[in-house]
Amino acid sequence: MARTILIQGPDGQTRTLPLSGSRLAVGRSSAVELSFPDDAGLSRQHFALEPSGDEWTVQDLGSKNGTFVNGIPLKAVLLLRPGDRITAGHLSIVFAPEPSAPAPGVVVFEGGDGVETDSPSTSTLVTSLGDANRTIVVEPGGGAKPSAAMQALIHAGQELAENRPLADLFPLILDLSIQAVNAQRGVLLLLEGDQLAAKAHKGDGFRISTAVRDRVLREKSSVLVRDAQLDDAFKGRMSIVEQKVHTMMAVPLETKDRCIGLIYVDSPFILREFTKNDLSLLTVMANVAAIRIEHARLAEVEAAERVMQRDLSQAAEIQTGMLPSRAPDIAGVDLAGFNVPCRTVGGDYYDFFPYAGPSVGLALGDVSGKGMAASLMMMALHARVHVLAETPGNLGDFMARLNKATCATCPSNRFITFFFSVLDVASGDLRFANAGHNPPILLRASGEAQMLEGGGPVLGVISIAPYSEESSNLASGDLLVLYSDGVTEANNPDFDEFGEERFIRVLSENRAHTAREIVDAVTAALKEFTAGAPQADDITLLVAKRL
């Protein structure tokens, strides 16, 4: 049965997409069928929709933030029903949305043309914000009257509704709290880890009972002490006596699910005692303030993530520009390369260096680790190789010079594996040096595979490490295949590795094809094998075929 999905993207726009009957993967990666690269809440490969007979299923692909169906975390393959809503990151997808009858409009107003509210019935009450603010109901006992409480809450709502930086919110919240209950001093404390940090204060030298603090934070209870000088729990405390604290309140900054801090106010002088109405008012204001603080925090985090995502995208664009846009055209040899990072930026590097003769230099390196740090080291490697590869000479000496330059700036917890070779196109002679990289595969035209063993240690660890130049020969139709371990160590959903044996089999089956077709065959085999499992490492491949 033909199905459609209704997609609401991170930008709030909606569109309808028919399901074609083939698997549809969703994520940030450009390799998936439905890509949302700007949604930081999505993993590169987040979830997938797959046909199952006449039905459709949804499966999470090991995402970091999880996939939800109708608000319930997705733990296994689920058969979808019409109207099911799938959410992930900032993305919402409705499967087979039920058609609804067209409505005459979003809102329909009923009644005649007369202004019925001019003469409201006895059961209808009409007011306005100004009238509500001026309403005065005096209760016995004094303290914060309902009108004063309403004025304070309206004022607080208006002030907190403005878009302010987080640092400006704290003193504003404290000032609103002190004014609302006519306190003389106050401090706003926020939890940072398991410690309270003062974010705003009026007055200083506050000494707050640990019992009050713990009750507010652990029980999310508001505490009022009308007269600390008479209260049995406080009158013997020297801190209270020395500060001459008369009346005090402490209320939690409580969001929906947790307590993020507290507001403490007191009055050292006997003007009036805080009342139960004051405590209720301050508790409500603190709750509103806590939610506003969390929203401001989230806004700052999202802004920082947007900046980071933009910077990463620009870094990825720069890094992509450093890799070959296409292989050089050299008579007598067919060349192709491929790279895809597992994150926005990666640490793999490959390159071609045409020389006179004709001959061609082939390079492939892999920086330990992933992400931005590996990317920066990859770009430094690119610069060093381009300088040294102009006149490589003996490749053992070439690798030793490259290692010495790398050791000068390489962090102690990082290293680089690197392979460099020069192929004489006319004779097929191959000179190479290896610095701890995976042995390249030399696949003969007959189908026989040989690993190019030999070499020295990884770059960036021992500055005086020795390297040697090795040699081999490519006959007509032979393949030289350089690769990073992201190829052989790619995992399927059962955590099985692609492996060298499967890799060589794919190469052998496609050895009669062009270098580009061989690269495409390997990437297709990897995609089929991994079956949507998250990519764990950068994948880089270079193929040279002697014609």
Side-chain angles (χ1 to χ4, degrees):
M1 181 185 299
R3 294 291 192 184
T4 61
I5 54 175
L6 182 65
I7 305 169
Q8 183 176 27
D11 57 359
Q13 300 297 315
T14 59
R15 62 188 175 103
T16 302
L17 179 70
L19 295 175
S20 63
S22 57
R23 183 177 183 271
L24 185 71
V26 182
R28 285 190 299 110
S29 172
S30 59
V32 300
E33 288 77 13
L34 199 56
S35 176
F36 297 89
D38 296 329
D39 191 341
L42 292 177
S43 298
R44 291 184 62 82
Q45 297 190 46
H46 200 105
F47 67 90
L49 300 170
E50 295 190 59
S52 177
D54 292 335
E55 305 293 338
W56 282 81
T57 64
V58 61
Q59 177 182 9
D60 185 82
L61 301 178
S63 64
K64 178 181 178 182
N65 297 323
T67 304
F68 299 82
V69 177
N70 302 325
I72 300 173
L74 183 61
K75 301 298 184 183
V77 177
L78 179 69
L79 190 67
L80 289 169
R81 299 300 180 203
D84 281 350
R85 181 178 293 273
I86 307 164
T87 53
H90 299 90
L91 180 68
S92 178
I93 293 179
V94 178
F95 173 74
E98 297 287 358
S100 56
V106 177
V107 178
V108 177
F109 293 97
E110 299 179 333
D113 296 332
V115 183
E116 299 175 6
T117 55
D118 286 348
S119 303
S121 66
T122 55
S123 63
T124 303
L125 179 65
V126 179
T127 189
S128 66
L129 181 61
D131 292 338
N133 203 4
R134 289 190 294 271
T135 301
I136 299 176
V137 179
V138 180
E139 288 189 348
K145 304 175 181 64
S147 61
M150 189 173 293
Q151 288 174 346
L153 288 172
I154 291 173
H155 179 54
Q158 291 170 339
E159 292 289 335
L160 295 177
E162 296 184 17
N163 187 19
R164 302 174 187 267
L166 189 57
D168 294 347
L169 269 181
F170 300 130
L172 173 64
I173 291 168
L174 182 62
D175 287 344
L176 291 170
S177 301
I178 290 174
Q179 294 169 13
V181 297
N182 294 316
Q184 292 173 297
R185 306 190 315 158
V187 61
L188 187 153
L189 300 164
L190 215 61
L191 276 171
E192 293 182 350
D194 57 356
Q195 298 294 320
L196 282 170
K199 296 298 182 180
H201 61 92
K202 182 178 180 181
D204 51 30
F206 292 95
R207 297 187 178 184
I208 303 172
S209 163
T210 55
V212 170
R213 176 201 66 193
D214 293 344
R215 187 165 188 178
V216 171
L217 295 180
R218 293 175 185 173
E219 301 179 16
K220 300 179 183 178
S221 299
S222 298
V223 177
L224 161 64
V225 179
R226 286 194 173 92
D227 192 337
Q229 306 297 327
L230 300 177
D231 193 289
D232 291 338
F234 296 96
K235 65 182 181 181
R237 295 182 181 270
M238 288 305 297
S239 61
I240 300 298
V241 175
E242 290 170 358
Q243 290 185 299
K244 299 180 180 178
V245 172
H246 174 65
T247 183
M248 69 176 77
M249 287 189 293
V251 297
L253 285 164
E254 181 183 355
T255 63
K256 183 178 180 180
D257 56 353
R258 64 193 183 101
C259 182
I260 63 172
L262 64 86
I263 295 175
Y264 170 90
V265 296
D266 65 24
S267 290
F269 305 106
I270 302 177
L271 297 177
R272 71 173 184 84
E273 296 176 355
F274 293 137
T275 67
K276 184 177 180 181
N277 281 341
D278 293 326
L279 186 66
S280 298
L281 172 59
L282 191 61
T283 301
V284 173
M285 288 188 66
N287 175 248
V288 173
I291 294 171
R292 182 67 185 88
I293 289 170
E294 288 294 86
H295 286 173
R297 277 176 165 175
L298 181 60
E300 289 193 356
V301 169
E302 289 182 342
E305 286 180 347
R306 284 194 297 271
V307 171
M308 182 176 293
Q309 188 60 43
R310 183 193 64 201
D311 291 346
L312 281 172
S313 297
Q314 292 176 349
E317 185 176 347
I318 293 170
Q319 187 179 44
T320 301
M322 302 181 80
L323 297 175
S325 58
R326 58 187 298 272
D329 293 324
I330 300 175
V333 64
D334 185 15
L335 303 169
F338 173 82
N339 168 264
V340 59
C342 71
R343 299 183 184 173
T344 308
V345 292
D348 279 8
Y349 162 63
Y350 78 96
D351 221 333
F352 305 98
F353 297 91
Y355 299 118
S359 61
V360 60
L362 308 170
L364 195 147
D366 184 356
V367 178
S368 64
K370 304 175 188 67
M372 184 60 77
S375 169
L376 292 172
M377 290 187 64
M378 172 271 191
M379 288 188 274
L381 173 67
H382 171 277
R384 295 189 186 104
V385 171
H386 269 252
V387 171
L388 295 174
E390 289 185 1
T391 53
N394 180 278
L395 298 189
D397 296 339
F398 166 93
M399 198 67 77
R401 293 196 301 273
L402 179 61
N403 176 57
K404 187 174 181 180
T406 303
C407 286
T409 57
C410 187
S412 59
N413 62 339
R414 298 275 179 173
F415 61 86
I416 301 171
T417 66
F418 187 67
F419 179 90
F420 190 85
S421 63
V422 176
L423 173 65
D424 186 313
V425 177
S427 65
D429 289 338
L430 180 73
R431 299 183 296 118
F432 64 90
N434 195 339
H437 195 71
N438 303 314
I441 299 170
L442 179 54
L443 186 70
R444 301 297 182 184
S446 63
E448 177 190 355
Q450 173 188 346
M451 310 303 286
L452 294 183
E453 303 287 353
V458 297
L459 303 177
V461 178
I462 305 172
S463 62
I464 59 172
Y467 297 89
S468 59
E469 178 180 283
E470 309 290 340
S471 63
S472 187
N473 182 271
L474 270 69
S476 177
D478 288 351
L479 296 177
L480 175 64
V481 182
L482 282 55
Y483 60 96
S484 65
D485 54 14
V487 176
T488 53
E489 295 178 5
N491 288 329
N492 65 11
D494 295 327
F495 299 100
D496 300 320
E497 287 190 352
F498 190 67
E500 288 182 358
E501 183 179 342
R502 186 179 282 105
F503 183 30
I504 292 172
R505 185 165 63 249
V506 174
L507 294 173
S508 181
E509 290 170 354
N510 293 274
R511 66 185 184 278
H513 297 161
T514 66
R516 172 49 54 189
E517 289 171 340
I518 293 169
V519 167
D520 292 342
V522 173
T523 56
L526 282 170
K527 184 176 181 180
E528 181 182 0
F529 175 78
T530 56
Q535 183 181 334
D537 202 355
D538 305 331
I539 294 175
T540 306
L541 186 65
L542 188 155
V543 174
K545 181 177 184 180
R546 185 163 178 244
L547 303 177

